[in-house]
PDB file of all heavy atoms in Angstrom:
ATOM      1  N   GLN A  84      -5.492  -8.092   7.139  1.00  0.00           N
ATOM      2  CA  GLN A  84      -6.863  -8.367   6.500  1.00  0.00           C
ATOM      3  C   GLN A  84      -7.952  -7.585   7.249  1.00  0.00           C
ATOM      4  O   GLN A  84      -8.966  -7.034   6.580  1.00  0.00           O
ATOM      5  CB  GLN A  84      -7.148  -9.884   6.579  1.00  0.00           C
ATOM      6  CG  GLN A  84      -8.461 -10.227   5.895  1.00  0.00           C
ATOM      7  CD  GLN A  84      -8.544  -9.933   4.294  1.00  0.00           C
ATOM      8  OE1 GLN A  84      -7.436 -10.133   3.719  1.00  0.00           O
ATOM      9  NE2 GLN A  84      -9.474  -9.424   3.811  1.00  0.00           N
ATOM     10  N   LYS A  85      -8.047  -7.582   8.586  1.00  0.00           N
ATOM     11  CA  LYS A  85      -8.989  -6.874   9.385  1.00  0.00           C
ATOM     12  C   LYS A  85      -8.808  -5.348   9.041  1.00  0.00           C
ATOM     13  O   LYS A  85      -9.878  -4.589   8.846  1.00  0.00           O
ATOM     14  CB  LYS A  85      -8.831  -7.120  10.826  1.00  0.00           C
ATOM     15  CG  LYS A  85      -9.359  -8.529  11.291  1.00  0.00           C
ATOM     16  CD  LYS A  85      -9.323  -8.691  12.707  1.00  0.00           C
ATOM     17  CE  LYS A  85      -9.750 -10.066  13.077  1.00  0.00           C
ATOM     18  NZ  LYS A  85     -11.193 -10.287  12.677  1.00  0.00           N
ATOM     19  N   ALA A  86      -7.744  -4.809   8.983  1.00  0.00           N
ATOM     20  CA  ALA A  86      -7.501  -3.376   8.458  1.00  0.00           C
ATOM     21  C   ALA A  86      -7.972  -3.074   7.189  1.00  0.00           C
ATOM     22  O   ALA A  86      -8.753  -2.032   7.027  1.00  0.00           O
ATOM     23  CB  ALA A  86      -5.955  -2.926   8.630  1.00  0.00           C
ATOM     24  N   ALA A  87      -7.727  -4.004   6.203  1.00  0.00           N
ATOM     25  CA  ALA A  87      -8.254  -3.784   4.840  1.00  0.00           C
ATOM     26  C   ALA A  87      -9.664  -3.795   4.801  1.00  0.00           C
ATOM     27  O   ALA A  87     -10.341  -2.976   4.010  1.00  0.00           O
ATOM     28  CB  ALA A  87      -7.626  -4.937   3.898  1.00  0.00           C
ATOM     29  N   GLU A  88     -10.357  -4.678   5.560  1.00  0.00           N
ATOM     30  CA  GLU A  88     -11.849  -4.823   5.603  1.00  0.00           C
ATOM     31  C   GLU A  88     -12.484  -3.618   6.112  1.00  0.00           C
ATOM     32  O   GLU A  88     -13.568  -3.100   5.703  1.00  0.00           O
ATOM     33  CB  GLU A  88     -12.294  -6.045   6.335  1.00  0.00           C
ATOM     34  CG  GLU A  88     -11.870  -7.316   5.598  1.00  0.00           C
ATOM     35  CD  GLU A  88     -12.230  -8.446   6.607  1.00  0.00           C
ATOM     36  OE1 GLU A  88     -12.590  -8.312   7.684  1.00  0.00           O
ATOM     37  OE2 GLU A  88     -11.908  -9.672   6.038  1.00  0.00           O
ATOM     38  N   PHE A  89     -11.722  -2.904   7.083  1.00  0.00           N
ATOM     39  CA  PHE A  89     -12.238  -1.565   7.551  1.00  0.00           C
ATOM     40  C   PHE A  89     -12.006  -0.418   6.684  1.00  0.00           C
ATOM     41  O   PHE A  89     -12.984   0.372   6.403  1.00  0.00           O
ATOM     42  CB  PHE A  89     -11.500  -1.351   8.880  1.00  0.00           C
ATOM     43  CG  PHE A  89     -11.979  -0.074   9.633  1.00  0.00           C
ATOM     44  CD1 PHE A  89     -13.183  -0.190  10.236  1.00  0.00           C
ATOM     45  CD2 PHE A  89     -11.213   1.024   9.639  1.00  0.00           C
ATOM     46  CE1 PHE A  89     -13.734   1.014  11.019  1.00  0.00           C
ATOM     47  CE2 PHE A  89     -11.712   2.311  10.215  1.00  0.00           C
ATOM     48  CZ  PHE A  89     -12.825   2.174  10.918  1.00  0.00           C
ATOM     49  N   VAL A  90     -10.793  -0.361   5.998  1.00  0.00           N
ATOM     50  CA  VAL A  90     -10.452   0.899   5.235  1.00  0.00           C
ATOM     51  C   VAL A  90     -11.343   0.842   3.985  1.00  0.00           C
ATOM     52  O   VAL A  90     -11.614   1.902   3.509  1.00  0.00           O
ATOM     53  CB  VAL A  90      -8.902   0.747   4.832  1.00  0.00           C
ATOM     54  CG1 VAL A  90      -8.574   1.776   3.801  1.00  0.00           C
ATOM     55  CG2 VAL A  90      -8.145   0.948   6.073  1.00  0.00           C
ATOM     56  N   ILE A  91     -11.762  -0.295   3.391  1.00  0.00           N
ATOM     57  CA  ILE A  91     -12.401  -0.295   2.017  1.00  0.00           C
ATOM     58  C   ILE A  91     -13.683   0.326   2.347  1.00  0.00           C
ATOM     59  O   ILE A  91     -14.467   0.650   1.313  1.00  0.00           O
ATOM     60  CB  ILE A  91     -12.577  -1.765   1.565  1.00  0.00           C
ATOM     61  CG1 ILE A  91     -12.766  -1.698   0.029  1.00  0.00           C
ATOM     62  CG2 ILE A  91     -13.643  -2.511   2.307  1.00  0.00           C
ATOM     63  CD1 ILE A  91     -12.735  -2.995  -0.552  1.00  0.00           C
ATOM     64  N   GLN A  92     -14.257   0.498   3.508  1.00  0.00           N
ATOM     65  CA  GLN A  92     -15.644   1.158   3.743  1.00  0.00           C
ATOM     66  C   GLN A  92     -15.520   2.667   3.670  1.00  0.00           C
ATOM     67  O   GLN A  92     -16.566   3.355   3.677  1.00  0.00           O
ATOM     68  CB  GLN A  92     -16.065   0.679   5.076  1.00  0.00           C
ATOM     69  CG  GLN A  92     -16.236  -0.781   5.229  1.00  0.00           C
ATOM     70  CD  GLN A  92     -16.697  -1.174   6.556  1.00  0.00           C
ATOM     71  OE1 GLN A  92     -17.869  -0.829   7.037  1.00  0.00           O
ATOM     72  NE2 GLN A  92     -15.938  -2.090   7.243  1.00  0.00           N
ATOM     73  N   PHE A  93     -14.272   3.230   3.608  1.00  0.00           N
ATOM     74  CA  PHE A  93     -14.154   4.752   3.696  1.00  0.00           C
ATOM     75  C   PHE A  93     -14.665   5.372   2.295  1.00  0.00           C
ATOM     76  O   PHE A  93     -14.562   4.762   1.247  1.00  0.00           O
ATOM     77  CB  PHE A  93     -12.642   5.151   3.814  1.00  0.00           C
ATOM     78  CG  PHE A  93     -12.321   5.125   5.345  1.00  0.00           C
ATOM     79  CD1 PHE A  93     -12.097   3.934   5.922  1.00  0.00           C
ATOM     80  CD2 PHE A  93     -12.159   6.335   5.912  1.00  0.00           C
ATOM     81  CE1 PHE A  93     -11.694   3.963   7.313  1.00  0.00           C
ATOM     82  CE2 PHE A  93     -11.775   6.346   7.359  1.00  0.00           C
ATOM     83  CZ  PHE A  93     -11.554   5.127   7.973  1.00  0.00           C
ATOM     84  N   THR A  94     -15.122   6.417   2.430  1.00  0.00           N
ATOM     85  CA  THR A  94     -15.677   7.286   1.230  1.00  0.00           C
ATOM     86  C   THR A  94     -14.491   7.513   0.317  1.00  0.00           C
ATOM     87  O   THR A  94     -13.461   7.945   0.707  1.00  0.00           O
ATOM     88  CB  THR A  94     -16.374   8.650   1.646  1.00  0.00           C
ATOM     89  OG1 THR A  94     -17.464   8.370   2.326  1.00  0.00           O
ATOM     90  CG2 THR A  94     -16.744   9.373   0.318  1.00  0.00           C
ATOM     91  N   GLY A  95     -14.527   7.180  -0.987  1.00  0.00           N
ATOM     92  CA  GLY A  95     -13.435   7.505  -1.927  1.00  0.00           C
ATOM     93  C   GLY A  95     -12.510   6.340  -2.180  1.00  0.00           C
ATOM     94  O   GLY A  95     -11.618   6.482  -3.030  1.00  0.00           O
ATOM     95  N   VAL A  96     -12.666   5.223  -1.407  1.00  0.00           N
ATOM     96  CA  VAL A  96     -11.837   4.192  -1.560  1.00  0.00           C
ATOM     97  C   VAL A  96     -12.401   3.088  -2.524  1.00  0.00           C
ATOM     98  O   VAL A  96     -13.500   2.709  -2.391  1.00  0.00           O
ATOM     99  CB  VAL A  96     -11.500   3.389  -0.171  1.00  0.00           C
ATOM    100  CG1 VAL A  96     -10.760   2.173  -0.445  1.00  0.00           C
ATOM    101  CG2 VAL A  96     -10.876   4.352   0.754  1.00  0.00           C
ATOM    102  N   GLN A  97     -11.690   2.844  -3.601  1.00  0.00           N
ATOM    103  CA  GLN A  97     -12.016   2.067  -4.674  1.00  0.00           C
ATOM    104  C   GLN A  97     -11.858   0.497  -4.369  1.00  0.00           C
ATOM    105  O   GLN A  97     -12.710  -0.317  -4.520  1.00  0.00           O
ATOM    106  CB  GLN A  97     -11.475   2.316  -5.970  1.00  0.00           C
ATOM    107  CG  GLN A  97     -11.843   1.543  -7.158  1.00  0.00           C
ATOM    108  CD  GLN A  97     -13.085   2.100  -7.881  1.00  0.00           C
ATOM    109  OE1 GLN A  97     -13.616   3.144  -7.408  1.00  0.00           O
ATOM    110  NE2 GLN A  97     -13.728   1.338  -8.865  1.00  0.00           N
ATOM    111  N   ASP A  98     -10.640   0.383  -3.917  1.00  0.00           N
ATOM    112  CA  ASP A  98     -10.169  -1.071  -3.610  1.00  0.00           C
ATOM    113  C   ASP A  98      -8.939  -1.110  -2.722  1.00  0.00           C
ATOM    114  O   ASP A  98      -8.323   0.057  -2.600  1.00  0.00           O
ATOM    115  CB  ASP A  98      -9.963  -1.902  -5.011  1.00  0.00           C
ATOM    116  CG  ASP A  98     -10.039  -3.260  -4.755  1.00  0.00           C
ATOM    117  OD1 ASP A  98     -10.227  -3.884  -3.545  1.00  0.00           O
ATOM    118  OD2 ASP A  98      -9.971  -3.966  -5.756  1.00  0.00           O
ATOM    119  N   VAL A  99      -8.701  -2.161  -2.067  1.00  0.00           N
ATOM    120  CA  VAL A  99      -7.568  -2.408  -1.112  1.00  0.00           C
ATOM    121  C   VAL A  99      -6.923  -3.586  -1.359  1.00  0.00           C
ATOM    122  O   VAL A  99      -7.552  -4.614  -1.788  1.00  0.00           O
ATOM    123  CB  VAL A  99      -7.945  -2.172   0.403  1.00  0.00           C
ATOM    124  CG1 VAL A  99      -8.612  -0.724   0.647  1.00  0.00           C
ATOM    125  CG2 VAL A  99      -8.951  -3.145   0.713  1.00  0.00           C
ATOM    126  N   ALA A 100      -5.617  -3.797  -0.961  1.00  0.00           N
ATOM    127  CA  ALA A 100      -4.959  -5.039  -0.936  1.00  0.00           C
ATOM    128  C   ALA A 100      -3.974  -5.035   0.146  1.00  0.00           C
ATOM    129  O   ALA A 100      -3.436  -3.887   0.526  1.00  0.00           O
ATOM    130  CB  ALA A 100      -4.239  -5.214  -2.270  1.00  0.00           C
ATOM    131  N   THR A 101      -3.803  -6.169   0.712  1.00  0.00           N
ATOM    132  CA  THR A 101      -2.820  -6.177   1.884  1.00  0.00           C
ATOM    133  C   THR A 101      -1.421  -6.582   1.316  1.00  0.00           C
ATOM    134  O   THR A 101      -1.293  -7.029   0.234  1.00  0.00           O
ATOM    135  CB  THR A 101      -3.154  -7.296   2.922  1.00  0.00           C
ATOM    136  OG1 THR A 101      -3.123  -8.690   2.247  1.00  0.00           O
ATOM    137  CG2 THR A 101      -4.567  -7.109   3.341  1.00  0.00           C
ATOM    138  N   TYR A 102      -0.479  -6.352   2.116  1.00  0.00           N
ATOM    139  CA  TYR A 102       0.934  -6.723   1.729  1.00  0.00           C
ATOM    140  C   TYR A 102       1.127  -8.086   1.454  1.00  0.00           C
ATOM    141  O   TYR A 102       1.655  -8.717   0.416  1.00  0.00           O
ATOM    142  CB  TYR A 102       1.855  -6.311   2.836  1.00  0.00           C
ATOM    143  CG  TYR A 102       3.278  -6.879   2.639  1.00  0.00           C
ATOM    144  CD1 TYR A 102       4.242  -6.012   2.003  1.00  0.00           C
ATOM    145  CD2 TYR A 102       3.686  -8.053   3.240  1.00  0.00           C
ATOM    146  CE1 TYR A 102       5.637  -6.495   1.925  1.00  0.00           C
ATOM    147  CE2 TYR A 102       4.986  -8.650   3.105  1.00  0.00           C
ATOM    148  CZ  TYR A 102       5.904  -7.778   2.448  1.00  0.00           C
ATOM    149  OH  TYR A 102       7.241  -8.175   2.252  1.00  0.00           O
ATOM    150  N   TYR A 103       0.363  -9.030   2.248  1.00  0.00           N
ATOM    151  CA  TYR A 103       0.346 -10.378   2.093  1.00  0.00           C
ATOM    152  C   TYR A 103      -0.232 -10.904   0.862  1.00  0.00           C
ATOM    153  O   TYR A 103       0.231 -11.696   0.082  1.00  0.00           O
ATOM    154  CB  TYR A 103      -0.316 -11.051   3.343  1.00  0.00           C
ATOM    155  CG  TYR A 103      -0.369 -12.545   3.307  1.00  0.00           C
ATOM    156  CD1 TYR A 103       0.667 -13.347   4.022  1.00  0.00           C
ATOM    157  CD2 TYR A 103      -1.186 -13.372   2.577  1.00  0.00           C
ATOM    158  CE1 TYR A 103       0.821 -14.666   4.032  1.00  0.00           C
ATOM    159  CE2 TYR A 103      -1.141 -14.784   2.571  1.00  0.00           C
ATOM    160  CZ  TYR A 103      -0.066 -15.364   3.306  1.00  0.00           C
ATOM    161  OH  TYR A 103      -0.048 -16.770   3.254  1.00  0.00           O
ATOM    162  N   GLN A 104      -1.459 -10.167   0.484  1.00  0.00           N
ATOM    163  CA  GLN A 104      -2.161 -10.562  -0.829  1.00  0.00           C
ATOM    164  C   GLN A 104      -1.216 -10.221  -2.106  1.00  0.00           C
ATOM    165  O   GLN A 104      -1.183 -11.145  -2.977  1.00  0.00           O
ATOM    166  CB  GLN A 104      -3.427  -9.949  -0.823  1.00  0.00           C
ATOM    167  CG  GLN A 104      -4.436 -10.323   0.154  1.00  0.00           C
ATOM    168  CD  GLN A 104      -5.712  -9.457   0.101  1.00  0.00           C
ATOM    169  OE1 GLN A 104      -5.623  -8.133  -0.094  1.00  0.00           O
ATOM    170  NE2 GLN A 104      -6.828 -10.184   0.358  1.00  0.00           N
ATOM    171  N   LEU A 105      -0.518  -9.121  -2.008  1.00  0.00           N
ATOM    172  CA  LEU A 105       0.250  -8.752  -3.161  1.00  0.00           C
ATOM    173  C   LEU A 105       1.487  -9.650  -3.203  1.00  0.00           C
ATOM    174  O   LEU A 105       2.009 -10.045  -4.337  1.00  0.00           O
ATOM    175  CB  LEU A 105       0.740  -7.260  -3.014  1.00  0.00           C
ATOM    176  CG  LEU A 105      -0.410  -6.247  -3.162  1.00  0.00           C
ATOM    177  CD1 LEU A 105       0.118  -4.811  -2.972  1.00  0.00           C
ATOM    178  CD2 LEU A 105      -1.054  -6.345  -4.564  1.00  0.00           C
ATOM    179  N   LEU A 106       2.013 -10.005  -2.082  1.00  0.00           N
ATOM    180  CA  LEU A 106       3.241 -10.855  -2.073  1.00  0.00           C
ATOM    181  C   LEU A 106       2.974 -12.162  -2.662  1.00  0.00           C
ATOM    182  O   LEU A 106       3.833 -12.760  -3.352  1.00  0.00           O
ATOM    183  CB  LEU A 106       3.793 -10.930  -0.611  1.00  0.00           C
ATOM    184  CG  LEU A 106       5.108 -11.650  -0.415  1.00  0.00           C
ATOM    185  CD1 LEU A 106       6.275 -10.967  -1.106  1.00  0.00           C
ATOM    186  CD2 LEU A 106       5.449 -11.828   1.114  1.00  0.00           C
ATOM    187  N   PHE A 107       1.866 -12.685  -2.408  1.00  0.00           N
ATOM    188  CA  PHE A 107       1.554 -14.156  -2.830  1.00  0.00           C
ATOM    189  C   PHE A 107       0.613 -14.181  -4.038  1.00  0.00           C
ATOM    190  O   PHE A 107      -0.052 -15.143  -4.175  1.00  0.00           O
ATOM    191  CB  PHE A 107       0.992 -14.869  -1.653  1.00  0.00           C
ATOM    192  CG  PHE A 107       2.099 -15.124  -0.605  1.00  0.00           C
ATOM    193  CD1 PHE A 107       2.141 -14.499   0.616  1.00  0.00           C
ATOM    194  CD2 PHE A 107       2.989 -16.140  -0.762  1.00  0.00           C
ATOM    195  CE1 PHE A 107       3.169 -14.624   1.442  1.00  0.00           C
ATOM    196  CE2 PHE A 107       4.023 -16.394   0.262  1.00  0.00           C
ATOM    197  CZ  PHE A 107       3.999 -15.563   1.359  1.00  0.00           C
ATOM    198  N   GLY A 108       0.301 -12.992  -4.665  1.00  0.00           N
ATOM    199  CA  GLY A 108      -0.558 -12.981  -5.828  1.00  0.00           C
ATOM    200  C   GLY A 108      -2.073 -13.243  -5.499  1.00  0.00           C
ATOM    201  O   GLY A 108      -2.727 -13.833  -6.340  1.00  0.00           O
TER     202      GLY A 108
END
Side-chain angles (χ1 to χ4, degrees):
Q84 186 61 37
K85 288 187 179 296
E88 291 171 356
F89 181 77
V90 171
I91 199 171
Q92 300 179 59
F93 277 76
T94 297
V96 175
Q97 182 82 7
D98 203 353
V99 297
T101 67
Y102 171 90
Y103 185 93
Q104 289 173 328
L105 293 175
L106 183 63
F107 294 99

